[in-house]
Amino acid sequence: MTTTNHEPVDWLTQEAYDRLAGELEHLSGPGRAEIVDRIEQARSEGDLKENGGYHAAKEEQGKAEARISYLKDLLRRAHVGESPADDGIVEPGMLVEAVIAGDKTTFLFGSREVAGDTDLEVYSEQSPIGAAVHGSKSGDTISYTAPNGKEITVKIVSCKPYTT
């Protein structure tokens, strides 16, 4: 799924969108203020060269700012909606059961953010396997070249809308 300017679009459930918007709101407001307070407190303790608390807080600030930037971009590009149709076609938002190089696996096709805190494997449309299976149907067998140069065979066993 792409926009007219060919920018990638991430499919998100309304639940995932709301959860991520809440995280962004916290990180941009109270979360950012908490980190600034920790930096100021550590800075007041003296020599910054040997101040582990200061360096840890600055590192946390960098990670939080990167997450804020990522979330803003993701939410701006997101297509929010219902799960895709239960038509057996691999598209964002589908839970796919497949045999990959002889190993049976189940994965979510789409965004890691939709899976939330689950330990479910996720393949995006931009990944080599994701690009290969996108648009295929239950029963299809396809192959793709992995980043290591090996040819990988994938058989789509089933494909159904992902629900949380």
Side-chain angles (χ1 to χ4, degrees), residues 108-130:
L108 172 64
F109 185 69
S111 171
R112 169 83 247 158
E113 301 296 348
V114 173
D117 293 333
T118 70
D119 57 0
L120 188 60
E121 189 82 37
V122 179
Y123 295 119
S124 75
E125 297 169 78
Q126 293 81 30
S127 69
I129 190 171

Side-chain angles (χ1 to χ4, degrees), residues 15-28:
E15 176 187 4
Y17 184 91
D18 293 345
R19 177 174 40 83
L20 295 171
E23 179 184 352
L24 176 60
E25 186 177 325
H26 173 76
L27 288 174
S28 297

Side-chain angles (χ1 to χ4, degrees), residues 94-100 103-109 119-123 158 160 162:
M94 297 298 271
L95 189 63
V96 180
E97 186 178 333
V99 178
I100 304 172
D103 295 326
K104 194 170 193 176
T105 188
T106 301
F107 62 90
L108 172 64
F109 185 69
D119 57 0
L120 188 60
E121 189 82 37
V122 179
Y123 295 119
S158 68
K160 61 185 179 193
Y162 174 71

Side-chain angles (χ1 to χ4, degrees), residues 10-135:
D10 286 304
W11 173 84
L12 296 175
T13 61
Q14 186 65 55
E15 176 187 4
Y17 184 91
D18 293 345
R19 177 174 40 83
L20 295 171
E23 179 184 352
L24 176 60
E25 186 177 325
H26 173 76
L27 288 174
S28 297
R32 188 179 266 159
E34 290 168 13
I35 294 171
V36 169
D37 287 346
R38 281 200 295 274
I39 290 171
E40 288 303 315
Q41 182 180 356
R43 185 178 281 149
S44 71
E45 293 172 5
D47 186 7
L48 297 181
K49 288 182 186 175
E50 297 178 17
N51 188 327
Y54 173 79
H55 294 291
K58 289 296 282 183
E59 183 176 325
E60 184 180 354
Q61 182 183 41
K63 289 178 182 177
E65 292 301 324
R67 181 71 176 166
I68 288 169
S69 178
Y70 169 77
L71 288 172
K72 282 181 178 178
D73 183 55
L74 174 66
L75 294 174
R76 179 182 56 78
R77 292 182 290 112
H79 171 79
V80 181
E82 297 299 315
S83 296
D86 192 359
D87 55 8
I89 297 174
V90 178
E91 58 187 318
M94 297 298 271
L95 189 63
V96 180
E97 186 178 333
V99 178
I100 304 172
D103 295 326
K104 194 170 193 176
T105 188
T106 301
F107 62 90
L108 172 64
F109 185 69
S111 171
R112 169 83 247 158
E113 301 296 348
V114 173
D117 293 333
T118 70
D119 57 0
L120 188 60
E121 189 82 37
V122 179
Y123 295 119
S124 75
E125 297 169 78
Q126 293 81 30
S127 69
I129 190 171
V133 301
H134 192 187

